[in-house]
Amino acid sequence: MMRIRNSIPPHLPLFFFLLLHLFHPSQAQDQIQPNTTGYQCPANQTGSGYPCRTYAFYQASAPNFLDLASIGDLFSVSRPMIAQPSNISSPNSTLAPNQPLFVPLFCSCNFINSTFGAISYANLSYTIKKGDTFYQVSSFSYRNLTTYQSVEVVNPTLIPTNLTIGVSAVFPVFCKCPNTTQLRNGENILISYVVQPNDNVSSIATMFGSKPQSIIDANRKNFREFDTIFVPVSRLPVLTQLPVNTSAPPASSPAASVTSRDRTGTVRGLAIGLGIVGLLLILVLGLWVYREALFKDKLAVVVGDEEKHKQSFATGTKGSKEAEAKLMANVSDCLDKYRVFGYEELREATNGFDQRCLILGSVYKGTIDGEVYAIKKMKWNAYEELKILQKVNHGNLVKLEGFCIDDDEANCYLVYEYVENGSLYSWLHEDRTERLNWKMRLHVAIDVANGLQYIHEHTRPRVVHKDIKSSNILLDANMRAKIANFGLAKSGMNAITMHIVGTQGYIAPEYLADGVVSTKMDVFSFGVVLLELITGKEAIDDRGNPLWTTVVRAFELGSDQEKNKRLREWLDSSLLRETCSMESLRSVLNVALACLHKDPTKRPSMVDVVYALSKSEDSGFDTSDDTMDSPLVSAR
């Protein structure tokens, strides 16, 4: 078993770093300047190997990153996705300081502007907290896998010296996808690694089981401490799990024993301290109860104003300016981190909500100050959706940018980021000259699973989307999948409702029969999406028959050989021209069938699903086939 050695502590004093260069001026002059803004990549991604899945070498650090949950949140991945390649026995285990990890990255080529061109990085969303700076987060949280200069480049609208708490910033973690030569040599992974003091090419090659010449070919011949370099490997080395120090502090010697009087004083002091803590807890609990009561009163006011406005609108009268101001104040108080757009601003952006700007349903495309947005027009039922959207922030969820209230027309507008490549439904079911290949379909599945795992596991109370389907999954410019449309979402689970909503073909049986709302209904719907990705068929056919019922029956019985034959018959015809492994296809089909179990208690959690799909991704592609280098294949 290979053991990756520990690097120096992350918080290297700045003066020590300066001294290194002060006493070695000739060495500093010989080396080229460090790369601060990123690494160039081909802007035209087709056939270039972009995008791809790769890994970053990362080390756990105190005090904030000693568990996989916090590290997973930092990199927008789940705990199992880190545990499996890092040889961590349990995703819930506490990590030792400097525990080496392999963190998966979705690496893409991102065009910045004419000055910087296209830069290769993993697009990670980070929410600014109190005391954060670009330098502090890039150097210590991400441990120099990016630079503050690059963060400034990809966030031109943010002011580095005046960051707003709660705003989302993109942190570009440096990565690269293997080129044709590297793939031909079997080097299908480029590990992002930050150079440490005393590192050299030979020691890094030995550490990862790579070749010195391969590292030189993949990078510049000279590199400096704390540069991110890329180590080509055919497979990830096995990491050793470091022991966590849980030993108790040594007992005091007899000479240090306290007297009986000292012990009595200690007990009294402890009792007084506990009493003070108890009083503080009661005070905090009282304040919390008061706050909840105040919030409910405020919510009742908002709902009451909404109903009054609806009645006013029904009779053709406009709400008073006072009521409008009151409603605006209540909503703004809940959404202080979002931009409040003006109605005229949105109207101008969409040419008066012209049909030519309509994307789908009641969602319009609009341009404001040079930025393109998706503008969702709603009636006064947007409050629940807004309340849920405040709780979520993840790279695989469509981001809410702001909102607008039009009291005169009884409308509320939600303004989202614009996702360039449209819905997964259009890529799978509409007439296109190009189709997604299996590699990209699997990436889409993992992205959606990560988004669901986030809302199921990292929100309190848990959020249930309730309308997962291929038309609510959008693909951005890098073909990264994002979950959209939280209009039916529910905060809280195991509730019973008589009002059944959703889309035919995706609705879980227990919800349809008994109105039971739980995260397992999202798991079921996700299983249907997996079937769409595999078969290329719609969730419901022309006769109204759900896809999932026919597929489940087809694979209930039979040997593995018979099931493989049926899988080829069900497979999307565009995938038959590829060289993706049958093992990978069967693995994803098994995940889909598990998600579609009629008993919700026997369906996997999204944590299990993410883990299983990640293993499916590793089950093999023929990388020598040119069709696998592109996310698209010909539909004909």
Side-chain angles (χ1 to χ4, degrees):
M1 180 177 289
M2 175 184 175
R3 176 167 177 166
I4 299 287
R5 62 179 174 78
N6 296 333
S7 64
I8 64 170
H11 301 285
L12 181 71
L14 182 59
F15 77 88
F16 181 73
F17 179 78
L18 295 174
L19 285 175
L20 283 175
H21 296 278
L22 182 64
F23 288 104
H24 299 281
S26 60
Q27 182 181 3
Q29 291 173 0
D30 291 341
Q31 293 178 330
I32 62 177
Q33 292 300 311
N35 190 317
T36 58
T37 56
Y39 299 85
Q40 298 294 311
C41 58
N44 180 12
Q45 297 184 21
T46 305
S48 66
Y50 284 88
C52 69
R53 292 276 178 179
T54 184
Y55 294 87
F57 179 79
Y58 186 81
Q59 289 180 297
S61 60
N64 297 325
F65 301 105
L66 289 178
D67 61 272
L68 294 185
S70 58
I71 297 172
D73 287 346
L74 183 66
F75 285 90
S76 296
V77 295
S78 65
R79 291 168 292 175
M81 290 183 70
I82 305 175
Q84 192 262 338
S86 303
N87 193 34
I88 301 297
S89 56
S90 170
N92 299 316
S93 59
T94 301
L95 304 176
N98 292 321
Q99 168 66 46
L101 302 167
F102 285 126
V103 181
L105 302 174
F106 186 85
C107 190
S108 58
C109 188
N110 308 271
F111 182 77
I112 306 301
N113 52 42
S114 58
T115 302
F116 294 98
I119 298 177
S120 177
Y121 60 80
N123 189 329
L124 300 182
S125 178
Y126 178 88
T127 302
I128 298 298
K129 303 176 181 63
K130 184 178 181 180
D132 279 347
T133 64
F134 287 165
Y135 173 79
Q136 185 268 335
V137 176
S138 59
S139 299
F140 301 133
S141 297
Y142 286 104
R143 302 200 69 165
N144 294 302
L145 284 165
T146 185
T147 64
Y148 74 90
Q149 295 97 330
S150 187
V151 180
E152 291 180 10
V153 167
V154 301
N155 295 277
T157 61
L158 299 183
I159 303 173
T161 56
N162 188 23
L163 296 176
T164 303
I165 296 173
V167 72
S168 292
V170 173
F171 275 76
V173 169
F174 298 145
C175 60
K176 271 189 180 180
C177 293
N179 57 34
T180 304
T181 302
Q182 290 163 335
L183 291 174
R184 192 180 300 119
N185 294 334
E187 299 167 339
N188 52 8
I189 302 173
L190 294 182
I191 300 173
S192 298
Y193 174 73
V194 177
V195 178
Q196 302 298 320
N198 302 319
D199 274 344
N200 56 52
V201 174
S202 297
S203 66
I204 295 172
T206 301
M207 186 188 306
F208 291 100
S210 183
K211 300 175 182 178
Q213 189 59 47
S214 296
I215 296 176
I216 293 172
D217 293 341
N219 302 274
R220 301 166 295 174
K221 291 186 178 180
N222 295 315
F223 44 78
R224 298 162 61 110
E225 297 167 3
F226 309 116
D227 271 358
T228 300
I229 66 168
F230 307 100
V231 183
V233 296
S234 57
R235 64 177 61 88
L236 294 176
V238 178
L239 302 180
T240 297
Q241 190 169 348
L242 301 181
V244 179
N245 184 13
T246 57
S247 58
S252 303
S253 64
S257 299
V258 296
T259 62
S260 176
R261 179 180 300 174
D262 291 337
R263 286 197 299 269
T264 302
T266 301
V267 170
R268 288 177 179 172
L270 183 61
I272 293 171
L274 289 174
I276 294 172
V277 170
L279 288 173
L280 289 174
L281 286 175
I282 293 172
L283 179 61
V284 170
L285 182 61
L287 289 173
W288 181 83
V289 171
Y290 174 75
R291 176 184 173 277
E292 288 298 305
L294 190 63
F295 180 78
K296 289 180 180 179
D297 288 343
K298 181 180 292 186
L299 179 59
V301 169
V302 173
V303 174
D305 282 350
E306 178 180 333
E307 292 301 320
K308 288 177 183 178
H309 183 87
K310 286 180 178 178
Q311 294 172 6
S312 174
F313 182 69
T315 59
T317 60
K318 295 183 178 181
S320 67
K321 292 298 181 181
E322 181 181 350
E324 177 184 356
K326 187 175 182 181
L327 178 60
M328 190 69 177
N330 280 318
V331 178
S332 299
D333 184 57
C334 296
L335 299 172
D336 55 356
K337 66 179 181 179
Y338 295 115
R339 177 178 172 182
V340 179
F341 291 86
Y343 171 71
E344 288 301 324
E345 198 174 14
L346 301 186
R347 190 173 184 279
E348 182 180 351
T350 57
N351 294 324
F353 295 97
D354 191 290
Q355 289 296 309
R356 287 171 293 184
C357 295
L358 192 63
I359 300 174
L360 183 67
S362 60
V363 181
Y364 295 81
K365 179 180 178 181
T367 303
I368 302 173
D369 298 331
E371 290 289 329
V372 182
Y373 297 99
I375 302 167
K376 182 179 180 181
K377 183 179 180 181
M378 307 176 69
K379 289 296 182 182
W380 286 115
N381 57 358
Y383 186 77
E384 195 67 28
E385 184 172 356
L386 290 169
K387 188 172 67 173
I388 288 175
L389 288 169
Q390 292 179 83
K391 300 167 56 175
V392 298
N393 179 36
H394 191 271
N396 296 124
L397 306 178
V398 175
K399 181 183 175 184
L400 178 68
E401 300 285 358
F403 68 100
C404 169
I405 292 176
D406 176 25
D407 186 68
D408 290 343
E409 298 296 331
N411 289 328
C412 180
Y413 300 86
L414 302 185
V415 183
Y416 291 91
E417 64 172 313
Y418 179 71
V419 186
E420 296 89 336
N421 276 318
S423 71
L424 176 62
Y425 178 92
S426 68
W427 282 92
L428 295 178
H429 307 308
E430 293 180 358
D431 187 21
R432 285 178 176 265
T433 57
E434 294 177 313
R435 295 285 178 137
L436 300 176
N437 66 19
W438 177 243
K439 183 178 180 180
M440 182 51 62
R441 294 184 194 210
L442 187 50
H443 288 169
V444 167
I446 293 174
D447 280 344
V448 177
N450 268 312
L452 286 175
Q453 186 261 343
Y454 170 80
I455 66 173
H456 289 179
E457 301 292 334
H458 295 272
T459 56
R460 289 295 180 272
R462 296 179 179 183
V463 170
V464 183
H465 187 278
K466 292 181 63 180
D467 199 20
I468 293 297
K469 55 184 178 181
S470 56
S471 59
N472 280 340
I473 297 167
L474 307 181
L475 303 180
D476 68 9
N478 298 314
M479 303 303 285
R480 183 178 185 182
K482 295 173 179 282
I483 300 172
N485 193 1
F486 280 75
L488 300 181
K490 171 77 173 175
S491 185
M493 54 182 293
N494 296 324
I496 305 294
T497 180
M498 299 300 293
H499 180 55
I500 305 300
V501 293
T503 303
Q504 190 177 5
Y506 297 91
I507 302 176
E510 73 279 3
Y511 177 65
L512 194 60
D514 304 316
V516 178
V517 177
S518 76
T519 55
K520 293 304 177 73
M521 64 185 291
D522 283 348
V523 175
F524 183 92
S525 301
F526 179 73
V528 179
V529 173
L530 287 181
L531 293 186
E532 290 182 83
L533 289 167
I534 295 169
T535 68
K537 300 181 184 298
E538 295 198 39
I540 193 163
D541 64 20
D542 295 336
R543 298 181 179 180
N545 300 315
L547 174 64
W548 71 269
T549 57
T550 52
V551 174
V552 168
R553 281 197 298 267
F555 290 92
E556 278 181 335
L557 302 172
S559 64
D560 287 345
Q561 186 176 4
E562 290 172 330
K563 289 180 178 179
N564 282 343
K565 181 180 178 181
R566 291 177 202 152
L567 178 56
R568 289 189 180 93
E569 294 171 354
W570 276 97
L571 202 61
D572 189 339
S573 59
S574 65
L575 298 179
L576 291 173
R577 294 186 291 275
E578 295 188 45
T579 55
C580 50
S581 73
M582 185 58 64
E583 180 185 356
S584 177
L585 290 163
R586 273 293 305 275
S587 177
V588 176
L589 176 63
N590 289 336
V591 173
L593 295 175
C595 292
L596 295 168
H597 202 291
K598 288 188 177 180
D599 184 351
T601 63
K602 294 183 179 179
R603 293 174 202 151
S605 68
M606 289 312 300
V607 173
D608 298 325
V609 170
V610 169
Y611 180 69
L613 291 177
S614 299
K615 291 181 66 177
S616 299
E617 187 183 27
D618 296 333
S619 52
F621 294 96
D622 182 359
T623 53
S624 65
D625 193 313
D626 290 339
T627 61
M628 298 310 298
D629 288 338
S630 171
L632 308 175
V633 295
S634 174
R636 293 178 171 79

